Amino acid sequence: MKILYVGMKYDYGNPNKGFSFEHYNFYESLVTMEEGKHKIVYFPFDEIMNEKGREVMNTELIEEVHREKPDLCFFILFTDEIHRETITMLKTVYPETTTFNWFADDHWRFDNFSKYYAPYFDFVSTTDSWAPRKYARIGYTHVLKTQWACNTLVYTPISSAQLRYNVTFVGQPHSDRKEVAETIKNAGIDFRCWGNGWPNGRVNQKEMIRIFSESRINLNLTKGSGAINMKQVGKIFLNRRVNDTYQWYPPTRWIENFISLWNKRREQIKGRNFEIPGCGGFLLTADADNLKDYYEDGKEIVVFKDVPDLIEKARYYLTHESERARIARAGYERTL
């Protein structure tokens, strides 16, 4: 099968930040799928758009489909870099291709993004347990309920790793995460954080995987950046593009954008829920939408209900080494 992969090559389209989550988990997974027997053609729309502009990138995508004639066009959209009319044109230049998009944040982006793009694709997928009903209400039935998982050729245990840290977290300090971190530290727990906005700074992919392997407890805070502050309110009116430029939304979109902002309060499964166990790490995580459909609490991962419960469980598993190791191993096997 020939697959044209259309996604961002770099993290938020910025080459200085290294490869994107999509590159590691989607593109590289497609390349190695079924022992690499499929031909994968890479169309990194962020790289092309940053070099040549949005309009040229859309034109080149149509030309690429005409030239390659792929069986499947596999998209993972970011915002509206790809014109909806472009997606329609792909079926015109090569009617036999199937178009598919992986929607990443239907928990909060359905109302102001996904519902507008889905009808242009033959199939879409969602990680949100509520979303299939929402798609049905707009008359779209070709939606696949799926989940993130992780590329287990990238996220893998480091056999030589030694446990260096007690409790760690890798991610941005948005929402209430700084307050949570201070509460954990004030409870006397050795807690270290990495990511843009933390004193330790951002780490690359290789360093992050090593942290997962070298931590007794890897903390996952599932709450998204849903705190309603001036920056978030600004997103009701302004659209941030992949190249860090901004564009005014039309007033007709403001109500939908407010609904999207409100829905950010829902906690959703993140890739981190799978990446940490995939590296053999012990995962202590907040609960999230249908997380327990994938892992068994207390046997493969451990779920906390609030910050006091987080602290209590962190203390427990720091002093129960064999139980913690057993859960980490079971979580790894479940992930595989």
Side-chain angles (χ1 to χ4, degrees):
M1 180 165 61
K2 182 185 285 189
I3 301 173
L4 177 65
Y5 172 79
V6 186
M8 289 205 299
K9 184 174 184 178
Y10 298 111
D11 192 22
Y12 288 92
N14 185 346
N16 295 326
K17 293 183 177 181
F19 288 128
S20 66
F21 173 92
E22 300 95 310
H23 176 91
Y24 286 118
N25 287 284
F26 290 88
Y27 171 68
E28 292 193 2
S29 292
L30 290 171
V31 168
T32 57
M33 182 174 64
E34 295 188 277
E35 299 181 346
K37 78 175 188 179
H38 304 286
K39 181 178 180 181
I40 313 301
V41 180
Y42 202 172
F43 190 87
F45 70 78
D46 58 327
E47 186 176 51
I48 298 169
M49 189 175 74
N50 286 336
E51 179 184 351
K52 301 179 181 180
R54 184 187 185 201
E55 300 307 318
V56 172
M57 180 271 290
N58 274 262
T59 299
E60 290 194 358
L61 175 57
I62 296 170
E63 293 171 350
E64 190 83 341
V65 170
H66 183 265
R67 178 169 51 252
E68 294 290 346
K69 296 179 172 54
D71 301 293
L72 171 67
C73 292
F74 187 115
F75 288 76
I76 177 161
L77 298 176
F78 181 60
T79 57
D80 58 355
E81 289 78 23
I82 309 293
H83 298 312
R84 285 172 278 183
E85 295 76 16
T86 296
I87 302 166
T88 300
M89 282 294 297
L90 303 186
K91 301 288 286 188
T92 302
V93 299
Y94 187 57
E96 295 181 31
T97 194
T98 296
T99 57
F100 163 81
N101 184 66
W102 178 291
F103 282 115
D105 293 299
D106 275 349
H107 296 75
W108 59 275
R109 294 187 75 193
F110 177 85
D111 290 288
N112 67 350
F113 182 68
S114 304
K115 75 178 184 182
Y116 292 108
Y117 267 90
Y120 290 84
F121 291 98
D122 293 319
F123 295 91
V124 303
S125 68
T126 183
T127 62
D128 178 12
S129 67
W130 296 3
R133 297 190 298 273
K134 295 179 181 179
Y135 284 106
R137 285 199 293 269
I138 66 169
Y140 188 84
T141 58
H142 290 178
V143 57
L144 312 173
K145 171 62 173 67
T146 186
Q147 200 43 261
W148 290 107
C150 67
N151 182 353
T152 53
L153 297 179
V154 174
Y155 298 93
T156 186
I158 300 174
S159 58
S160 62
Q162 301 294 318
L163 293 175
R164 299 173 54 199
Y165 310 112
N166 282 338
V167 183
T168 62
F169 173 73
V170 180
Q172 297 182 40
H174 56 57
S175 188
D176 61 348
R177 290 175 176 177
K178 285 188 176 181
E179 290 80 1
V180 171
E182 285 302 311
T183 302
I184 295 171
K185 291 177 181 178
N186 290 339
I189 294 174
D190 178 22
F191 181 46
R192 307 188 190 191
C193 306
W194 289 265
N196 287 329
W198 298 108
N200 287 330
R202 188 177 184 272
V203 291
N204 61 33
Q205 182 84 359
K206 184 177 180 180
E207 292 167 334
M208 180 177 71
I209 290 172
R210 180 164 289 279
I211 291 168
F212 293 163
S213 297
E214 294 182 342
S215 301
R216 291 179 174 84
I217 296 175
N218 290 276
L219 183 62
N220 179 51
L221 304 171
T222 59
K223 188 180 291 295
S225 53
I228 299 180
N229 52 41
M230 290 306 298
K231 181 178 179 180
Q232 294 296 327
V233 170
K235 293 180 180 180
I236 296 174
F237 310 103
L238 288 170
N239 179 25
R240 179 186 176 187
R241 312 306 294 273
V242 70
N243 57 359
D244 286 333
T245 60
Y246 289 85
Q247 180 183 53
W248 286 101
Y249 282 113
T252 53
R253 297 290 298 275
W254 293 353
I255 293 177
E256 293 173 346
N257 290 344
F258 175 78
I259 294 171
S260 172
L261 174 61
W262 186 257
N263 285 340
K264 272 192 173 186
R265 300 161 67 90
R266 280 186 68 204
E267 298 202 8
Q268 65 186 97
I269 296 180
K270 298 290 189 179
R272 197 73 86 234
N273 288 103
F274 301 91
E275 294 163 3
I276 290 168
C279 293
F282 177 92
L283 175 64
L284 177 59
T285 179
D287 202 0
D289 173 37
N290 74 315
L291 176 60
K292 292 172 185 175
D293 290 348
Y294 300 94
Y295 292 100
E296 190 170 352
D297 182 21
K299 292 187 177 180
E300 296 163 339
I301 62 172
V302 174
V303 177
F304 65 84
K305 62 184 179 183
D306 52 28
V307 177
D309 189 44
L310 182 165
I311 292 170
E312 179 181 345
K313 287 176 175 174
R315 286 173 172 161
Y316 176 86
Y317 286 106
L318 286 173
T319 58
H320 290 75
E321 177 73 20
S322 60
E323 186 177 353
R324 182 184 54 76
R326 184 168 62 251
I327 291 172
R329 178 65 190 180
Y332 171 69
E333 291 172 352
R334 171 66 68 191
T335 302
L336 292 184

